[in-house]
Amino acid sequence: MTPVRTIVFATNNAHKLEEIRSIVGSDIRILSLADIGCHDDIPEDADTFEGNALQKALYVKEHYGYDCFADDSGLIVDALGGEPGVRSARYAGPGHDSKANMALLLKNLEGVECRTARFVTVIALIEGDERRFFEGRVEGRILEHEQGTGGFGYDPVFLPEGFTETFACMAPGQKNAISHRGLATQKLLRHLSAVK
Ligand code: ITT
């Protein structure tokens, strides 16, 4: 089947790219930054998911000329006043990995009873002069220990509401069906399919 269209996904996160390609399937051809020869460290210093997503998408549009979309995501933990939020990727400091981020999160929640949290994704899409946003969120709670080895980021400590296992225990298709990124991407897809 001929793809509906081709669009660039402005991310340096290989896990996000894999998830979104799998959600989109053959409906749309997703080009990575590497596919368009972009190896830049794209700035993201806004203080909202919308601001960061737009900043990343605009960077690619302005420097490379492609219509594109970007995803800014994070984990919002109620007992931590919304942290790590937009700082989710670098919660334990610049250059730290997911293990360090999760360890800090569990440490900061030691002895805390209220462990409610949500994952949020905001996708910013730039088509010509138009900008649109698509949001997805999933409610859940933070476990006291890691569970599972799949997924990425904070998946091993996030238990989505109504489920008995973390995102890291789920098959990719199961996570994508209920996740923040899955829900935001479905909205993006509906828009792209409507304007084809
Ligand atoms: P790009 O900006 O290049 O897209 P990034 O990893 O820096 O990649 P973000 O700034 O959006 O992306 O940071 C999101 C962080 O939030 C990510 O690094 C993870 O730590 C966490 N995160 C986002 N989505 C997640 C998911 O589905 N599962 C687990 N952790 C997630």
Side-chain angles (χ1 to χ4, degrees):
M1 197 176 89
T2 316
V4 174
R5 60 182 292 183
T6 298
I7 192 157
V8 174
F9 179 24
T11 185
N12 280 308
N13 183 322
H15 299 285
K16 286 185 181 179
L17 181 64
E18 193 184 328
E19 285 191 359
I20 285 197
R21 275 188 169 148
S22 140
I23 296 163
V24 165
S26 57
D27 289 353
I28 291 170
R29 184 164 166 245
I30 304 283
L31 295 182
S32 68
L33 289 177
D35 289 333
I36 60 163
C38 170
H39 302 284
D40 310 351
D41 189 13
I42 299 177
E44 51 173 313
D45 50 23
D47 54 11
T48 60
F49 294 118
E50 288 81 1
N52 276 328
L54 184 61
Q55 196 178 6
K56 291 185 263 192
L58 272 176
Y59 181 95
V60 169
K61 180 71 181 175
E62 284 168 2
H63 291 79
Y64 293 84
Y66 289 91
D67 281 357
C68 68
F69 68 94
D71 151 330
D72 201 63
S73 324
L75 182 63
I76 295 175
V77 179
D78 292 322
L80 300 176
E83 288 279 297
V86 291
R87 297 194 309 117
S88 292
R90 50 192 186 282
Y91 189 41
H96 284 77
D97 59 9
S98 293
K99 280 277 166 205
N101 288 337
M102 264 189 300
L104 180 61
L105 180 68
L106 294 184
K107 181 167 167 287
N108 288 343
L109 285 175
E110 254 168 32
V112 175
E113 221 168 278
C114 167
R115 304 180 75 91
T116 50
R118 65 207 53 82
F119 267 125
V120 176
T121 288
V122 174
I123 290 175
L125 169 71
I126 301 188
E127 292 179 288
D129 293 334
E130 284 193 29
R131 300 164 184 191
R132 280 173 208 275
F133 295 92
F134 306 91
E135 185 181 310
R137 49 178 67 213
V138 56
E139 300 289 332
R141 59 190 305 274
I142 306 300
L143 297 183
E144 286 174 3
H145 304 283
E146 292 180 30
Q147 188 190 95
T149 53
F152 73 100
Y154 300 88
D155 279 348
V157 293
F158 184 79
L159 183 69
E161 206 172 83
F163 291 81
T164 54
E165 44 182 32
T166 66
F167 274 165
C169 296
M170 294 181 177
Q174 193 184 359
K175 176 187 171 186
N176 292 339
I178 60 166
S179 79
H180 47 311
R181 182 162 301 99
L183 299 174
T185 307
Q186 290 303 341
K187 292 179 187 173
L188 168 74
L189 265 181
R190 277 198 290 276
H191 167 75
L192 291 175
S193 306
V195 298
K196 69 183 165 186

